[in-house]
Amino acid sequence: MDLLALTDFNLVARHGGFGKAARASGRPKATLSRRVAELETSLGLRLLERGARTLKLTEEGRALHERTGALLSEIDEAATDIAAGGATPRGRLRISAPLLFSQTAMGRLAAEFALKHPQVRLEVTTEDRPVDMVEEGYDLVIRVNPNRDETLVGRIFVRDRLVVVAAPQMARPAHDDEPVPAVVRGANGDKTLWQVSVAGATARIAVQPVLQLSSLLMVRDAVRAGVGAALLPVSLVSHDLAAGTLAHWGDIDGSEIALWTLYPSRRLLSNRVSAFLDFIKQAFPQGTPDELAAYSTR
């Protein structure tokens, strides 16, 4: 495949027409048209539908643009950085981050990163759903215990764990079969038994849900009010445990919460992504819940 022709095709696709692409690049419109036609001939595919006044990508053209446009931009950026004799991070960096991490830590982290790298335009989207990084144009995603994906690479930057907490005035049950009121979130709403570890010993806590909420911050606030016990990440309640506003009833066995930074393995690692990965590593050098709690709102 002729990479120059592919570059011209992506230029036309990005600007939505030969005229606009010619004006943006300073290249002759006829040259762009000829190079795109040559690319179509070499592939045996029609990439553009040419109307009298409009130009539209075919399904094949859209797929080719989505798969190659970002790659060519990163190659061009790498060449520009090398030619400039440096690798100062610059340009747009799009990140998808989960809801709780965004609510408790991402605002402060994003501000610190922006101050450190003023030429990077950071955009953070908050969502818990799996995203298609290539299709949706993300450079990096942060996820909790992600499913294995051969197309992504990354690393854990923080490890957390679940604990059972309750208001200090709430009495812990004397027997395993004595149910306690519980505040639950989403998928935890159908659990009727928590198995906890306390000082090396295992105990069971029977629960009776009295509130089901969609946010862990809401769960924490409800527990603070004394309505019931709850399972929460220790980083979210460490301030309360230290201040005595919540009591620790035990750890949930096998409840590791791992936060990952992930990016597509087939893409070049831009200096923007590298800078953010280094920044996250410096923010959480040991990757402990206490380090995460330091960024969390109280």
Side-chain angles (χ1 to χ4, degrees):
M1 183 182 296
D2 186 335
L3 291 182
L4 292 177
L6 182 61
T7 300
D8 286 344
F9 161 72
N10 277 290
L11 179 67
V12 172
R14 185 166 66 252
H15 289 282
F18 289 102
K20 291 181 180 179
R23 287 190 292 273
S25 63
R27 302 191 62 201
K29 179 179 175 180
T31 300
L32 294 177
S33 180
R34 175 173 56 80
R35 298 303 295 273
V36 172
E38 290 173 353
L39 180 62
E40 290 178 316
T41 300
S42 68
L43 294 175
L45 295 170
R46 180 174 291 277
L47 303 175
L48 301 171
E49 293 290 353
R50 299 163 175 82
R53 295 187 177 181
T54 61
L55 182 144
K56 182 181 178 182
L57 290 169
T58 65
E59 183 177 346
E60 293 80 8
R62 184 178 299 104
L64 183 64
H65 177 52
E66 290 174 348
R67 295 287 295 274
T68 64
L71 287 170
L72 290 173
S73 295
E74 290 179 7
I75 292 171
D76 182 65
E77 178 184 300
T80 300
D81 286 338
I82 292 171
T88 301
R90 59 171 58 86
R92 187 175 71 161
L93 176 61
R94 296 194 69 224
I95 296 177
S96 170
L99 179 62
L100 181 62
F101 182 75
S102 296
Q103 290 176 328
T104 58
M106 198 63 201
R108 181 176 162 190
L109 286 166
E112 292 179 357
F113 181 81
L115 290 171
K116 188 173 183 178
H117 300 286
Q119 295 188 54
V120 176
R121 189 173 76 255
L122 180 61
E123 299 177 9
V124 180
T125 302
T126 297
E127 51 200 345
D128 287 329
R129 68 176 179 86
V131 299
D132 187 318
M133 294 187 62
V134 175
E135 291 285 340
E136 299 181 50
Y138 286 109
D139 300 292
L140 183 143
V141 299
I142 297 172
R143 284 296 175 264
V144 178
N145 295 342
N147 294 326
R148 184 176 179 83
D149 189 333
E150 297 294 341
T151 66
L152 300 178
V153 294
R155 62 193 182 205
I156 297 172
F157 66 93
V158 164
R159 296 181 188 273
D160 210 342
R161 69 181 189 279
L162 289 177
V163 294
V164 178
V165 294
Q169 66 271 22
M170 186 172 176
R172 182 169 177 167
H175 306 287
D176 288 350
D177 57 354
E178 181 183 345
V180 298
V183 185
V184 297
R185 175 182 181 254
N188 294 322
D190 58 353
K191 295 186 181 298
T192 58
L193 190 70
W194 295 336
Q195 185 161 310
V196 301
S197 176
V198 184
T202 300
R204 295 185 301 173
I205 300 176
V207 298
Q208 181 178 351
V210 294
L211 274 179
Q212 184 168 337
L213 305 173
S214 62
S215 161
L216 288 177
L217 288 175
M218 295 167 63
V219 172
R220 183 191 62 183
D221 292 345
V223 174
R224 284 172 172 173
V227 71
L231 299 178
L232 287 168
V234 67
S235 64
L236 190 61
V237 295
S238 62
H239 299 309
D240 292 278
L241 295 177
T245 53
L246 287 178
H248 179 221
W249 282 13
D251 296 352
I252 298 295
D253 293 331
S255 65
E256 181 183 79
I257 301 170
L259 276 78
W260 287 71
T261 50
L262 301 166
Y263 55 90
S265 59
R266 291 180 297 173
R267 294 180 60 178
L268 296 174
L269 189 59
S270 71
N271 56 9
R272 297 184 302 277
V273 173
S274 295
F276 190 83
L277 292 174
D278 291 341
F279 170 77
I280 282 288
K281 186 176 181 179
Q282 293 168 8
F284 306 102
Q286 303 300 319
T288 64
D290 287 341
E291 290 176 342
L292 180 55
Y295 276 89
S296 300
T297 58
R298 303 191 183 194

